Amino acid sequence: MALWMESGSEPASEQEKADLDAIDALRESAAIELKEQGNEFVKNGKLQEALDCYTRAIDQKTSSSVDTSIFYGNRAQVHLLLGNHKRALLDAEEAIKRNPANVKGYYRGGKAALSLGMLLEALKICTDGLNQDPSNQEILKLRVQAENNCIQLAECKKHFLEAHSKAKALSFALASRSIKVGRHLYEEQTRLRKPSLDYDNIFHWPVLFLYGEAMASDFIEDFAEFDTFAMHLDMMFGTSAPPLAWDERHEYSRDNIELYYQANAVPALSRRKVEQILVGDSTGYGMLISEEEDVDADAADDDVHLEGVFASGKPTWVKIKETQTLHGALKLSDFVVPGIPVFYVLAKGSHFRDSFISGKWCPP
C-alpha cells in the first residue's frame, strides 16, 4: 500500500498511484478547510488561532504549490497584524518562492521589509511584485515609500558623515593638546554647545562661568584658546558692564573676584566617546560606526595611547590665574572638561568663598 512506501520512491503499481492521489486529495481538502477556518479567525480578530490554522495547513504538505503559497501568504498577513515583521517577511518570501504570481506575497513582504528598515530588500520585493502586476497601486505606494526612505537615509548618512569628519578632527586636536573631555554637567545652561576649530587650527570654546552663591551664570560663546581669562573678565566686570542684579553687597567687582575649576570633576572619556558627543546624536553615530568601522579602526589604539593622561583622583577646587590662557588651563593634568569648560567665580573675603573653599558647598 502507498502508506508503507518509502519517502521519495515512485509508485510501483497503478494501485499505489491511486492511493497516493487519494492521500494527497485528503491532505489538500484538510489544508483548504484549515485555511478557511483561519480566514474566519482573522475576520473575528482571533489571530493566534488563525496562525495555528495556517501553520497546520502548511504542515499538510500538499502537492499544490499555488495553495501552499496562499497558506504562507495568509500566515504572513497575520504576522504583520501581530507586529512579527521578521516572521512575516520569511513567510512572504516562501509564498513568492512557491508561486511567483502571488501578488499579495510581494505586498506583504515589502511591507514587512519596510517595517524592519530593510529598505533595499523592500525595494527589490516591490519591484518584483510590480513586474508581476504593474498596475498594483498598493505595491506601487510601498515602493514610493521605500524610495523616499532611501533618499532620507542617504541624506541622514551624508549629514552624519560630515559631522563625524568634523568630530574626528576635533577629537584629534584635543588629543594632540592633551585636553581631556568628560560628560556634560550643565546641559540646560549650555544646550550641548561644542568647540570649533578655525582656519588657523585655533580652538574656540563656549565657556560657562558659574556663581555658586546665587546659582547664576554667565556664558561666553567664543573664548579662543589663547585668550587670557583677564581679557574676558575685563569685559564682564568692566566699568561699562552692568552690575550683577543679585550682588546686593557689591562684592563681585573686577578687583575682587577670582576663578576656580573643579579638578577631576568627571571621568575622562575615550576618543570614540568624545567623537560621539561632538557628533551630537548617539543613534546616528551608532549607525555610522557600524557601517564605517574601517574608518575608525585606529580608535581603540588612540584610546590606549590616551589612557595614561586621563585624570584620576578626588574632585578638588583649583584656583586659576587670570593671566593664564584658556589653553593653559585645559591642558592641566587634573582638568577634565565637562562637555565644555566650566569655571566658578568667587568674591574674595565673602562668607560663601570660605564655604566653597572648605568643601562645604558642592555643585548641584
Side-chain angles (χ1 to χ4, degrees):
M1 293 181 63
L3 289 174
W4 301 103
M5 291 176 59
E6 293 184 5
S7 177
S9 62
E10 295 293 329
S13 65
E14 288 297 323
Q15 182 60 48
E16 287 184 353
K17 183 177 183 304
D19 289 344
L20 286 175
D21 290 341
I23 292 170
D24 193 53
L26 288 172
R27 287 177 175 172
E28 185 172 346
S29 176
I32 294 298
E33 184 177 348
L34 287 166
K35 182 198 75 171
E36 296 301 329
Q37 291 177 8
N39 292 348
E40 285 299 315
F41 281 132
V42 171
K43 290 178 183 178
N44 296 321
K46 298 180 179 180
L47 301 182
Q48 291 297 337
E49 290 86 345
L51 271 184
D52 179 63
C53 286
Y54 294 138
T55 300
R56 288 162 59 196
I58 292 168
D59 290 342
Q60 294 300 314
K61 295 183 172 21
T62 69
S63 60
S64 171
S65 59
V66 172
D67 286 342
T68 304
S69 174
I70 292 173
F71 305 153
Y72 274 110
N74 287 5
R75 193 170 72 174
Q77 175 63 13
V78 177
H79 279 310
L80 280 174
L81 293 173
L82 290 170
N84 303 330
H85 299 120
K86 183 62 177 177
R87 292 181 179 180
L89 178 59
L90 293 174
D91 276 351
E93 289 174 339
E94 285 293 334
I96 295 168
K97 181 168 65 176
R98 292 166 192 279
N99 179 21
N102 186 347
V103 177
K104 289 183 178 180
Y106 294 102
Y107 174 75
R108 291 160 182 168
K111 194 170 183 179
L114 198 59
S115 297
L116 291 166
M118 301 169 63
L119 303 182
L120 295 180
E121 181 70 13
L123 275 175
K124 182 182 183 305
I125 293 173
C126 290
T127 300
D128 291 344
L130 289 172
N131 288 336
Q132 295 291 329
D133 183 5
S135 63
N136 191 294
Q137 292 301 306
E138 289 185 324
I139 298 179
L140 183 60
K141 289 178 183 178
L142 269 184
R143 190 175 72 172
V144 170
Q145 186 178 350
E147 289 172 344
N148 289 338
N149 287 1
C150 282
I151 293 172
Q152 292 175 9
L153 180 62
E155 287 296 319
C156 192
K157 288 175 70 173
K158 178 182 177 182
H159 165 76
F160 285 117
L161 282 169
E162 292 173 352
H164 186 232
S165 177
K166 292 179 181 178
K168 281 181 68 68
L170 286 171
S171 67
F172 179 81
L174 289 168
S176 68
R177 289 162 167 79
S178 298
I179 295 175
K180 300 166 288 297
V181 177
R183 63 180 177 84
H184 278 274
L185 285 182
Y186 300 97
E187 293 180 1
E188 291 185 4
Q189 291 94 326
T190 63
R191 298 180 183 177
L192 296 180
R193 288 177 170 86
K194 307 179 189 72
S196 61
L197 282 170
D198 64 20
Y199 291 110
D200 295 320
N201 202 38
I202 295 175
F203 259 111
H204 293 259
W205 287 90
V207 175
L208 183 66
F209 289 95
L210 293 178
Y211 305 90
E213 182 173 359
M215 296 302 294
S217 64
D218 272 325
F219 190 78
I220 297 178
E221 293 276 358
D222 187 343
F223 197 135
E225 62 179 326
F226 297 116
D227 288 353
T228 65
F229 289 94
M231 291 170 55
H232 290 276
L233 292 176
D234 287 344
M235 290 185 286
M236 293 167 61
F237 295 93
T239 54
S240 60
L244 300 174
W246 48 266
D247 183 21
E248 297 178 354
R249 293 186 295 273
H250 304 291
E251 294 178 312
Y252 287 79
S253 60
R254 178 65 187 90
D255 58 354
N256 198 47
I257 57 170
E258 53 189 14
L259 293 179
Y260 287 80
Y261 71 88
Q262 189 176 32
N264 307 309
V266 291
L269 299 174
S270 68
R271 276 276 300 277
R272 176 159 292 181
K273 288 292 186 181
V274 171
E275 287 173 15
Q276 183 173 344
I277 289 176
L278 294 172
V279 168
D281 187 302
S282 58
T283 302
Y285 182 84
M287 173 193 70
L288 181 63
I289 288 301
S290 65
E291 296 189 3
E292 305 290 337
E293 196 67 37
D294 58 318
V295 176
D296 289 325
D298 62 334
D301 293 337
D302 290 340
D303 292 346
V304 172
H305 174 70
L306 290 172
E307 188 175 358
V309 298
F310 286 177
S312 61
K314 182 179 178 181
T316 54
W317 299 116
V318 180
K319 187 176 180 180
I320 289 286
K321 295 180 180 179
E322 291 186 8
T323 56
Q324 193 170 32
T325 64
L326 178 61
H327 170 75
L330 299 187
K331 71 175 184 178
L332 294 171
S333 61
D334 59 0
F335 198 122
V336 181
V337 180
I340 67 168
V342 178
F343 299 95
Y344 297 82
V345 185
L346 299 179
K348 300 174 185 177
S350 66
H351 176 73
F352 177 78
R353 180 186 179 279
D354 295 337
S355 176
F356 180 94
I357 296 299
S358 65
K360 295 179 181 178
W361 181 87
C362 295

